[in-house]
Amino acid sequence: MTFSAFIVPGQGAEDVVVATSGPDEGAVFTGTEDGAIFRISHDGAKVDRVAHTGGRPLGIEFAPDGRLLVCDAHRGLLWVDPAAGHIDVITDDVAGLPMKFCNNGAIGSDGTLWWSDSSTRYGIEKWKHDFVRNTRTGRLLRRTPDGTVSTVLEGLAFANGVTLSAAEDFVCVAETAARTVVRYWTSGPKAGTRDLLASDLPGYPDNIARGTDGLIWVSIASPTDPVVERLQQGPMALRRLATSLPDALQPKPKETVRAVAYDERGTLVHDVDVRPGDHGASYHMVTGVREHDGRLWMGSLHEPAIAVYDL
């Protein structure tokens, strides 16, 4: 098993996606905090900037037509053409109100778009406020091919990663603050209801994605923090105080390189936990994960690099 990191010329390569067809097949895409979208060759030897969103790209998905669906924390839901660098805003509001924190998405085979809005109170610059204060104002949103946007789930504890099952009979959304993966059924006898694919995760989930192995991979950005757990259950005055302290005194994500994988019944299949120093790993805060043909690609909210781990 080997672990490698490929440097990109920008901080915070938050999510990763592997192109599965077309001229970019096999290339890996990511977005950084300066608004850039980069294409990285499968061996990491070549890195090209293909677009600039003018915002903060987070979740990134590859569409069958070669475009990228990008969840931009500042600009909303975008189409990005990596060949021409063109940006199209799909939507930046829901029912006339601007989104605060567009985070991660998925594309249905019929063109339906699913994505998360992590909070209706705080944007990405104050993500800790929402996380520690546990506002539970996150949402799972849907845009049908006719352009209709609707809220599918609300009251989520920091809605984050989104992915579809193989049959598209359910959609999953990670609740970072609750350490769960919520499953919303789109068809079948449970249609319109929700349950949990996974709960009591070993840390705080971020982006999620279904791999070529059919499993649902969940990035673990940080191990469970007992201090944060107590704060989330404490009086709101205490939660406000904790997030009002200077940044140096606030709870911080613990360094880890970890991702877990579940089958569609919710059975844990893999727990990849690369300790600092193992296999040369010095990476941390994994927020994006993508399994592709036996390789696990990872992104990070803070690192100026993407990483790959051979399973």
Side-chain angles (χ1 to χ4, degrees), residues 37 118 138 143 201 214 255 264:
I37 303 290
S118 294
R143 184 182 187 270
L201 291 168
E255 293 195 5
E264 295 192 354

Side-chain angles (χ1 to χ4, degrees), residues 13-306:
E14 200 265 351
D15 197 17
V16 285
V17 69
V18 181
T20 54
S21 62
D24 290 323
E25 184 173 0
V28 183
F29 291 87
T30 190
T32 51
E33 66 181 22
D34 59 359
I37 303 290
F38 290 101
R39 177 178 55 221
I40 304 101
S41 62
H42 211 67
D43 59 1
K46 187 177 182 182
V47 180
D48 298 305
R49 194 183 91 162
V50 297
H52 193 281
T53 70
R56 200 329 176 183
L58 296 175
I60 187 168
E61 291 294 315
F62 185 75
D65 64 3
R67 290 183 298 173
L68 301 170
L69 178 70
V70 175
C71 293
D72 191 294
H74 294 152
R75 298 196 61 197
L77 199 62
L78 312 175
W79 283 122
V80 174
D81 181 352
H86 188 69
I87 311 290
D88 284 317
V89 177
I90 302 168
T91 184
D92 57 4
D93 70 86
V94 178
L97 296 175
M99 282 184 282
K100 287 278 190 180
F101 200 154
C102 185
N103 197 323
N104 195 245
I107 307 171
S109 58
D110 67 348
T112 296
L113 306 179
W114 302 84
W115 75 99
S116 59
D117 186 23
S118 294
S119 172
T120 60
R121 297 186 186 175
Y122 300 104
I124 189 172
E125 287 76 17
K126 292 188 175 181
W127 68 266
K128 287 184 183 178
H129 285 59
D130 193 274
F131 180 71
V132 173
R133 297 183 186 186
N134 202 16
T135 70
R136 290 185 174 268
T137 60
R139 302 179 289 180
L140 175 66
L141 303 164
R142 173 176 58 197
R143 184 182 187 270
T144 52
D146 65 3
T148 302
V149 173
S150 58
T151 300
V152 176
L153 293 175
E154 52 191 349
L156 298 174
F158 202 102
N160 209 320
V162 177
T163 197
L164 288 158
S165 67
E168 301 186 12
D169 55 345
F170 65 81
V171 59
C172 289
V173 55
E175 284 188 292
T176 303
R179 293 189 293 112
T180 69
V181 177
V182 175
R183 178 169 51 186
Y184 175 80
W185 293 90
T186 61
S187 62
K190 297 181 180 179
T193 67
R194 59 176 281 181
D195 57 15
L196 294 178
L197 179 80
S199 62
D200 195 26
L201 291 168
Y204 303 105
D206 206 285
N207 294 336
I208 64 179
R210 186 164 52 85
T212 57
D213 55 9
L215 300 175
I216 294 171
W217 284 86
V218 182
S219 63
I220 302 295
S222 174
T224 306
D225 188 326
V227 174
V228 171
E229 298 289 300
R230 288 196 295 270
L231 282 172
Q232 289 176 337
Q233 301 303 318
M236 181 56 76
L238 180 62
R239 290 181 248 169
R240 290 196 183 102
L241 175 63
T243 51
S244 298
L245 293 170
D247 190 62
L249 300 178
Q250 291 185 23
K252 291 181 175 58
K254 303 297 189 293
E255 293 195 5
T256 188
V257 176
R258 194 169 187 179
V260 293
Y262 295 88
D263 65 21
E264 295 192 354
R265 298 184 303 274
T267 302
L268 179 66
V269 178
H270 294 292
D271 185 349
V272 176
D273 189 3
V274 185
R275 302 295 180 179
D278 289 355
H279 312 288
S282 59
Y283 206 73
H284 80 288
M285 200 176 183
V286 172
T287 52
V289 63
R290 191 80 49 161
E291 185 278 336
H292 184 80
D293 292 343
R295 307 188 85 190
L296 197 64
W297 295 91
M298 293 171 278
S300 167
L301 183 65
H302 292 307
E303 295 280 0
I306 63 171

